[in-house]
Amino acid sequence: METIKEFSYHIGWRSRSRRPGRHKSNQRGMGMEFRGHTTLLSYPDPRRIDIRQTIRDPMEQVYVRIFNQKSATPVFVMCDMSGSMQYGTPHTKLVTAAHITRSVAQSASRNTDPVGFIGFDDDVHDEWLSTLSLRPHTMFDLADRLENHLPNEVGAGALLESVRLLPRERSLIFLVSDFHMPLEQLEEALLLMLRHHIVPVILWNSTEYKELPEFGITSINDPETGERRTLFLRASYRERILEAFAARRQAIEDIFMRFDMQPFFVEDTFDADLLTDYFHQYVPA
């Protein structure tokens, strides 16, 4: 089996989960982060009696030290499974999405975080849902199926519906897609996801636009609508295509930055080390 490469991540907020984990939280427990003092009656744990604080109290109450524990946080992969995700050479974007899914599952398991998966195209299908679990094996099996999945000629219209499947508790969401969808639809979905921390993982393949011939006739299919077109390529037309992709990339980046969500671009191949660098650079510890 291919080795799954992990990445290092952290969250920029205090988890409210009672489940012990590796992230800072606001839950009292057996951690090392000092929170303050309270009376032994309020927090009956004699192991934490603070003698100095106790003898200072003129009311002669017994005080204990209280600490915040490290807690878990939910992690999700939300994956676009529309027709355009089957494109790519030497492997499709869905294969890259499968690599990312395995890496997220392995990394979350190391951090003792529960991890889940939501796959969507124009619908949300039960077979592409994985509820939060501390066991990554379900995610690995799902990634294997994702790697061999051949999507129909469908779009990503169920993005809004899939957002409603997320828990109320603030979660770390890896939103994996090529984002060849209407930006109005994307913006509406992001408005519904503001309580969560979103990592937009944008999958593009260089053969989509960089390796076009400068001259000749070619036929293209729209993988989401099935529409077929014949193009007469020449240098000026190729340049217009490159400019259109550059403008699209900038538009996608702009919409995420309006929501303070730094996008993570993956072209052709996923590198887990670069995702580690992303968290160090853009997510406050």
Side-chain angles (χ1 to χ4, degrees), residues 35-106:
R35 181 171 176 173
H37 292 93
T38 189
T39 63
L40 183 62
L41 290 176
S42 300
Y43 195 77
D45 186 350
R47 296 171 299 175
R48 299 190 172 189
I49 291 177
D50 188 326
I51 300 298
R52 289 186 177 181
Q53 186 68 21
T54 298
I55 61 178
R56 288 194 190 110
D57 184 23
M59 305 302 294
E60 299 184 348
Q61 295 196 75
V62 178
Y63 282 85
V64 295
R65 294 183 295 269
I66 54 176
F67 296 84
N68 285 335
Q69 71 173 22
K70 295 278 190 177
S71 293
T73 197
V75 178
F76 274 92
V77 175
M78 293 181 64
C79 185
D80 175 5
M81 301 177 62
S82 61
S84 63
M85 292 289 285
Q86 69 177 321
Y87 185 84
T89 301
H91 51 255
T92 68
K93 296 177 216 174
L94 281 178
V95 172
T96 303
H99 294 165
I100 294 170
T101 298
R102 293 190 189 97
S103 184
V104 169
Q106 184 77 6

Side-chain angles (χ1 to χ4, degrees), residues 145-184:
R145 290 195 289 119
L146 185 64
E147 207 164 38
N148 299 302
H149 179 61
L150 295 176
N152 297 320
E153 294 171 345
V154 290
L159 174 59
L160 283 173
E161 182 183 347
S162 64
V163 168
R164 296 185 176 97
L165 298 176
L166 295 172
R168 293 185 60 82
E169 181 182 357
R170 190 172 192 189
S171 306
L172 177 61
I173 313 293
F174 293 89
L175 182 57
V176 182
S177 174
D178 56 12
F179 295 98
H180 292 331
M181 62 183 70
L183 294 184
E184 297 79 9

Side-chain angles (χ1 to χ4, degrees), residues 120-156:
F120 61 92
D121 46 38
D122 278 334
D123 293 295
V124 177
H125 305 281
D126 290 342
E127 63 267 27
W128 293 110
L129 296 178
S130 176
T131 55
L132 285 172
S133 173
L134 290 172
R135 299 180 178 181
H137 307 294
T138 302
M139 294 281 285
F140 294 155
D141 293 340
L142 193 147
D144 291 341
R145 290 195 289 119
L146 185 64
E147 207 164 38
N148 299 302
H149 179 61
L150 295 176
N152 297 320
E153 294 171 345
V154 290

Side-chain angles (χ1 to χ4, degrees), residues 172-228:
L172 177 61
I173 313 293
F174 293 89
L175 182 57
V176 182
S177 174
D178 56 12
F179 295 98
H180 292 331
M181 62 183 70
L183 294 184
E184 297 79 9
Q185 173 188 329
L186 175 60
E187 184 172 10
E188 187 176 355
L190 294 179
L191 283 169
L192 297 176
M193 301 170 73
L194 288 177
R195 73 158 60 105
H196 302 292
H197 183 102
I198 310 300
V199 179
V201 183
I202 302 172
L203 306 185
W204 278 12
N205 193 276
S206 59
T207 58
E208 286 183 286
Y209 61 103
K210 287 184 178 179
E211 299 180 12
L212 298 173
E214 292 191 4
F215 187 83
I217 297 176
T218 186
S219 295
I220 60 171
N221 287 328
D222 187 323
E224 297 191 359
T225 65
E227 181 184 354
R228 185 178 181 86

Side-chain angles (χ1 to χ4, degrees), residues 24-41:
K24 58 188 178 182
S25 78
N26 58 8
Q27 296 294 330
R28 293 189 298 186
M30 299 300 292
M32 298 295 293
E33 182 185 9
F34 179 67
R35 181 171 176 173
H37 292 93
T38 189
T39 63
L40 183 62
L41 290 176

